[in-house]
Amino acid sequence: MSRYVIGRVGQALLVLWAAFTVSFVLLQALPGDAILIKFLNPELGLGPEQIAEIRASYGADVPLLSQYLHSIVNFLSGEFGYSVQAGVPVGDLLLAKLPPSLWLATLGFLLATILAVSIAVLSTLAPFAWLRSLIQSVPSLFVSTPVFWLGILLIQVFSFQLRLIPVINPGPWEALILPVLTLAVPISAPLAQILIRNIDEVMTEPFIAVARAKGASRSWVLWKHVAKNAILPTLTIGGILFGELLAGAVVTEAVFGLNGIGGLTQRAVGSQDIAVLQALVVFSAVAFVLINLAVDLLYPVFDPRLRIRERAAA
Amino acid sequence: MTGSLTWGSVTKAAGASETPVKGGTLVYLEQQPHTNLYPPAGGFYPNGGILNQITDKLTYQNPETLEIEPWIAESWTVNADATEYTFKIRKGVTFSDGTPLDAAAVAKNYDVYGRGSKDLKLPISEVINNYDRSEVIDPQTVKFYFKKPSPGFLQGTSVIGSGLVSLATLALPYEALGDATKIIGSGPFVVAAETLGRELTLNARTDYNWGPAKLAQQGRAYLDTIKYIITPEDSVRIGALLAGQADVIRQVQAYDEKQVEDEGYLIYAPSTRGVNNSVVFRPDNPLVADIRVRRALLHATNADEIVSTLFSANYPKATSIIAKTALGYVDLSSRLSYDLEKAKALLDEAGWKEGTNGLRQKDGQVLELTAYESLPQPQNKETLQLVSQQWGKIGVKLNVLTADSGSATVNNLDPAKAPVSPAMVGRADPDVIKSQYYPTNRNVLLQKGGNSDKVQTFLDEKLNTLLDNLASEPDRAKRLAIAGDVQAYVVDQAYAIPIFEEPQAFAAAPYVKGLSFEAVGRPSFYGTWLAPRH
């Protein structure tokens, strides 16, 4: 077990280093750079000599390799540099923008899971065949709902018409209700779909037929036999979706003015704010690696066969 | 309560609303987060909207008359050729960190704004031309020397970009000035708290007693607090205003104005009083190097149709390259006529014949141009697309491209990639024309020697001489005459096609009183108060 863990952690570190290096190279290869974009801005009306001076003062013309070593050392010591566009340390930006994004992602994912499980269970247990197939089509409806439209609709109805939840100056929890709902709907769709498919697959297995022949009810079979078997692939997809959630809530954040990591990414890409982008790539890689690590370590918990294999190998 | 509202109580309420109410919090919804708050970077609207509340200026430009009036400077003298300016500083003014705003502080501010700072990476202010040095004569008197006449300087001391900040703020490097709490001014409001990119709280300074001398409002501001909340989505800002969750919002699109007014809310659309929203050419690109091609496109552009299709009465059609309300404006509408026949004749004359596909061709080349959308300008993409349709009628293709602001900035500086570009800039002084067209300023025509290293040859010495004279002619009447000459020259050369006079559009709840705007449309909340809501 410990060798398994050490191996997975080593892999994770390698992935992080690769993410840092590849993103460093790619970001350097961009046609412009943040300093140029910021100071070429006609609003400042700077001449070419002034811009050259500013570039030199930012160390933009230092050889790439020493820039690379410099920034990797800085990253390891928790020093992410300054955002050229926003004029504040990147660390401060991340600290300000992480909490709303993390809450949004975590709660959105939880709600999406609840939605997905409810849809899957209902689509298996609902009384009539037509109702089951109707419920089965809900994920397709959810996945094709534009997040932007849904967000605006929820705001219009719950905030502006019914005046239940303010969007401006809401309390910390009030601020999350509508965005979490908005985000959970599209995320729940693939989860529900995979759950439904796995339930269907497991339902056709011979041991289910045996259980049913012995007189087990549909719901007993579902909870006792099918659920455990259907949960593994869902867990994998869940891990991937959660990674996307963190950086991918751009639209939801923009509609609700949440200003988290999504909005930060969008603006940093627009202004090629390399220090910010580099930090975001590394942060996303860390989040992704951690979540997948957690999923991998959870596998044996759900599937006894994996535990046995582990023991045999050890 | 609402049911028993009588006529008497209505009139009483209306009467009561004339006496300013002290206290309260104003919620202001801003579309974009501020960027760098170094005052010379105050041209970006979200920056100016904050700096205008927390910093004072040496002088005050009356937004009605455009006259320069006393503020932190009680009085001033200018020598005959506008190379020496002496200001008497008001006594007892302090920055919010307690340090005095005296002659020494003013001198230090202008040395930085006029010369920039290499060590701190602070750029030179675009409104200060030909700056040489300052001299502190006594604690309340400061004198500025210029290398060449600088007649625009006096007005330049009144703009948001010349907001005075404490020595502690001036000691910070450029990259640290994105944090609003670091900007220490002497204004009626002080930054109390900031959540980066999301929210900013300003509190009134209770000891504030140095507003512009001629203003009716004196002493501290009425409001206790202003809350800026970044709300990027247009429909959310408007919905929040109409639902009573916000009091003032910035950036209302023309197509939303009616909905706001129908609900009894108010639209404010102060003019930016500078160079109009225009389409400009980059003559370094061979396709638009021929004046006949540019003139043809000028006459093929129907500004009336753009204004009536996309905008509202708050967006007047342009009749020169600068706004009617700008200093030195001359009416050039007769030279900006919409005339398709003339446009076609000019293209024929220039050798661009209509090909089989309806597009103009010459030597096997198609007359196909490209422009990048400018994100900050209202409905710019729609405007360019309509221009593109209009030019299509004479067989010219205009591709309208959208890019992230970074690539757009870079591509827009290349005449080969962007032979056509949208442009506008606001400032209530004729120097604004120089800012817009001069190669070492904004350089919208992309002349050689400016911020673009992609330009091969294009340089218009005559235009630059006119602009130089405009920025250094000390005689006011002569200076305004030069401003007229420049406008006529730019239109005659068809360097720019002016389209509309760009306002800043705000919407406010009816109980928000005393909302005012400085000369180029940034809000001022100094005299603002909140009447009781009904």
Side-chain angles (χ1 to χ4, degrees):
Chain A
M1 191 71 184
S2 63
R3 248 181 74 189
Y4 175 69
V5 174
I6 290 168
R8 294 296 293 114
V9 170
Q11 260 181 4
L13 289 176
L14 202 67
V15 166
L16 286 182
W17 172 77
F20 180 87
T21 306
V22 171
S23 61
F24 182 87
V25 171
L26 289 178
L27 288 171
Q28 296 299 328
L30 285 175
D33 65 55
I35 302 168
L36 217 57
I37 287 166
K38 182 166 181 103
F39 292 99
L40 277 180
N41 184 346
E43 235 165 62
L44 293 170
L46 298 178
E49 303 91 41
Q50 286 165 299
I51 291 175
E53 275 170 15
I54 291 170
R55 282 181 66 79
S57 70
Y58 271 94
D61 303 317
V62 172
L64 271 190
L65 188 67
S66 58
Q67 275 191 43
Y68 172 75
L69 293 175
H70 186 69
S71 46
I72 209 164
V73 168
N74 278 346
F75 262 75
L76 288 176
S77 56
E79 173 63 53
F80 303 116
Y82 265 95
S83 156
V84 174
Q85 186 64 34
V88 284
V90 174
D92 290 5
L93 272 180
L94 286 180
L95 275 183
K97 285 161 198 269
L98 259 177
S101 287
L102 276 178
W103 278 114
L104 180 63
T106 312
L107 295 176
F109 189 73
L110 277 178
L111 184 63
T113 312
I114 295 170
L115 277 175
V117 170
S118 317
I119 293 167
V121 168
L122 283 175
S123 77
T124 314
L125 298 182
F128 312 106
W130 63 267
L131 188 58
R132 285 199 291 274
S133 72
L134 188 73
I135 294 169
Q136 286 199 3
S137 62
V138 167
S140 321
L141 178 73
F142 276 12
V143 86
S144 53
T145 304
V147 181
F148 178 77
W149 175 85
L150 182 65
I152 298 276
L153 183 80
L154 290 176
I155 290 180
Q156 286 291 344
V157 173
F158 291 102
S159 186
F160 299 161
Q161 299 301 320
L162 303 175
R163 306 201 173 187
L164 292 174
I165 306 161
V167 269
I168 305 303
N169 261 333
W173 294 105
E174 279 178 327
L176 285 167
I177 298 173
L178 295 179
V180 162
L181 195 59
T182 310
L183 195 60
V185 165
I187 298 283
S188 71
L191 280 177
Q193 225 140 17
I194 296 235
L195 261 177
I196 291 173
R197 213 179 61 212
N198 283 304
I199 290 173
D200 284 352
E201 255 169 39
V202 180
M203 279 292 199
T204 61
E205 300 263 336
F207 77 94
I208 299 292
V210 173
R212 293 278 283 165
K214 283 181 178 168
S217 74
R218 239 182 123 77
S219 70
W220 191 85
V221 168
L222 177 68
W223 296 120
K224 269 291 168 197
H225 296 294
V226 182
K228 265 190 166 178
N229 285 294
I231 215 160
L232 274 185
T234 318
L235 201 62
T236 311
I237 283 288
I240 293 171
L241 281 177
F242 192 86
E244 278 178 12
L245 262 173
L246 280 176
V250 179
V251 176
T252 313
E253 286 183 8
V255 169
F256 291 93
L258 275 179
N259 224 306
I261 294 293
L264 180 67
T265 312
Q266 189 196 16
R267 271 196 305 282
V269 169
S271 56
Q272 296 187 10
D273 205 336
I274 289 180
V276 177
L277 288 173
Q278 184 82 63
L280 283 170
V281 168
V282 170
F283 163 74
S284 313
V286 169
F288 205 74
V289 160
L290 283 180
I291 285 156
N292 280 291
L293 196 62
V295 169
D296 283 354
L297 298 177
L298 273 175
Y299 257 63
V301 177
F302 285 98
D303 193 337
R305 285 170 301 178
L306 290 173
R307 264 179 300 202
I308 292 158
R309 239 177 272 151
E310 273 295 320
R311 245 175 257 150
Chain B
M1 188 63 201
T2 38
S4 63
L5 205 68
T6 62
W7 174 242
S9 69
V10 170
T11 45
K12 198 175 162 196
S17 72
E18 298 315 309
T19 323
V21 177
K22 290 197 177 92
T25 297
L26 178 102
V27 176
Y28 175 71
L29 302 189
E30 170 55 74
Q31 186 197 26
Q32 292 164 283
H34 67 78
T35 54
N36 198 296
L37 292 174
Y38 173 55
F44 183 54
Y45 291 121
N47 297 0
I50 296 165
L51 286 169
N52 203 28
Q53 326 306 330
I54 63 176
T55 64
D56 292 332
K57 273 71 78 177
L58 213 43
T59 60
Y60 176 76
Q61 185 169 31
N62 185 321
E64 307 296 326
T65 61
L66 299 187
E67 290 304 316
I68 304 299
E69 298 174 0
W71 192 349
I72 297 304
E74 288 173 331
S75 62
W76 52 84
T77 53
V78 187
N79 70 346
D81 60 354
T83 53
E84 292 174 23
Y85 287 74
T86 311
F87 293 89
K88 274 266 176 233
I89 309 299
R90 192 166 174 160
K91 273 192 183 136
V93 181
T94 54
F95 291 109
S96 59
D97 61 2
T99 57
L101 199 180
D102 53 12
V106 173
K108 179 72 185 150
N109 269 268
Y110 278 88
D111 282 350
V112 171
Y113 298 166
R115 294 199 291 237
S117 163
K118 251 183 234 179
D119 295 342
L120 301 174
K121 301 162 200 161
L122 300 171
I124 295 175
S125 164
E126 88 174 308
V127 299
I128 303 177
N129 285 301
N130 310 327
Y131 186 82
D132 184 21
R133 66 192 170 88
S134 64
E135 187 185 321
V136 177
I137 293 181
D138 65 52
Q140 305 306 134
T141 313
V142 61
K143 189 167 180 180
F144 298 111
Y145 295 88
F146 291 82
K147 294 177 203 148
K148 281 201 289 182
S150 192
F153 179 68
L154 185 62
Q155 191 272 347
T157 62
S158 74
V159 303
I160 287 175
S162 297
L164 300 165
V165 291
S166 83
L167 299 184
T169 301
L170 286 178
L172 295 171
Y174 189 67
E175 61 259 33
L177 297 176
D179 180 344
T181 58
K182 302 256 166 69
I183 311 299
I184 307 296
S186 62
F189 292 91
V190 180
V191 177
E194 174 175 37
T195 312
L196 275 178
R198 175 148 187 215
E199 215 176 285
L200 181 70
T201 307
L202 303 185
N203 284 344
R205 237 185 112 171
T206 47
D207 60 342
Y208 186 82
N209 195 26
W210 43 82
K214 290 192 185 175
L215 227 56
Q217 162 77 350
Q218 291 295 322
R220 63 155 282 180
Y222 295 120
L223 293 169
D224 284 336
T225 303
I226 309 170
K227 244 184 167 37
Y228 288 68
I229 298 172
I230 312 301
T231 315
E233 177 50 37
D234 285 350
S235 66
V236 175
R237 283 198 308 284
I238 289 187
L241 175 74
L242 300 182
Q245 296 178 19
D247 307 309
V248 180
I249 65 174
R250 187 180 81 80
Q251 187 82 322
V252 178
Q253 300 294 356
Y255 48 78
D256 283 326
E257 287 183 3
K258 192 177 174 311
Q259 185 200 353
V260 172
E261 286 175 329
D262 285 352
E263 302 256 353
Y265 287 67
L266 305 165
I267 297 283
Y268 294 86
S271 169
T272 52
R273 277 202 183 83
V275 176
N276 287 328
N277 198 302
S278 312
V279 167
V280 298
F281 292 107
R282 280 63 193 279
D284 198 59
N285 185 310
L287 289 175
V288 294
D290 189 334
I291 186 173
R292 290 170 297 190
V293 171
R294 299 197 302 267
R295 275 195 183 145
L297 294 172
L298 183 146
H299 291 298
T301 307
N302 185 350
D304 272 319
E305 187 189 26
I306 295 169
V307 170
S308 64
T309 313
L310 296 173
F311 296 99
S312 68
N314 291 319
Y315 298 70
K317 184 183 117 169
T319 47
S320 173
I321 57 166
I322 58 173
K324 273 189 218 73
T325 47
L327 279 177
Y329 160 84
V330 286
D331 187 351
L332 296 172
S333 44
S334 61
R335 306 187 202 189
L336 294 167
S337 59
Y338 174 58
D339 188 340
L340 277 186
E341 293 316 310
K342 196 167 170 182
K344 286 179 189 162
L346 278 162
L347 284 183
D348 287 336
E349 197 188 312
W352 291 95
K353 305 287 180 204
E354 208 157 313
T356 44
N357 54 1
L359 291 179
R360 298 269 173 174
Q361 292 176 354
K362 182 176 164 183
D363 308 329
Q365 202 177 11
V366 178
L367 192 47
E368 182 175 355
L369 304 167
T370 300
Y372 282 88
E373 172 196 9
S374 157
L375 293 169
Q377 294 176 25
Q379 295 196 80
N380 187 249
K381 189 172 185 188
E382 291 80 358
T383 304
L384 290 173
Q385 278 166 343
L386 195 48
V387 167
S388 169
Q389 280 181 29
Q390 294 173 351
W391 290 2
K393 288 182 187 161
I394 56 165
V396 178
K397 187 155 195 224
L398 174 67
N399 300 311
V400 180
L401 299 187
T402 308
D404 62 83
S405 56
S407 326
T409 307
V410 175
N411 292 340
N412 216 1
L413 286 171
D414 184 346
K417 287 185 176 152
V420 173
S421 175
M424 77 77 56
V425 57
R427 182 188 166 190
D429 186 86
D431 266 7
V432 73
I433 310 176
K434 179 185 174 249
S435 289
Q436 183 78 329
Y437 295 104
Y438 202 68
T440 54
N441 295 124
R442 295 183 179 228
N443 195 24
V444 288
L445 305 177
L446 294 184
Q447 299 193 54
K448 210 170 161 57
N451 49 3
S452 166
D453 55 3
K454 299 282 194 315
V455 180
Q456 306 296 323
T457 54
F458 176 63
L459 192 66
D460 187 331
E461 296 286 5
K462 185 169 177 207
L463 174 66
N464 295 340
T465 308
L466 278 170
L467 294 171
D468 263 330
N469 293 344
L470 177 68
S472 45
E473 171 54 61
D475 183 275
R476 183 182 158 102
K478 280 187 197 155
R479 188 158 174 253
L480 295 184
I482 297 170
D485 294 344
V486 182
Q487 291 166 66
Y489 184 75
V490 170
V491 167
D492 286 343
Q493 291 295 313
Y495 283 146
I497 308 173
I499 296 179
F500 61 84
E501 302 184 355
E502 189 170 319
Q504 269 291 293
F506 299 82
Y511 54 79
V512 177
K513 308 282 181 184
L515 189 57
S516 65
F517 300 89
E518 50 88 64
V520 294
R522 269 75 168 183
S524 164
F525 297 117
Y526 178 42
T528 303
W529 53 278
L530 302 170
R533 303 193 200 187
H534 303 295

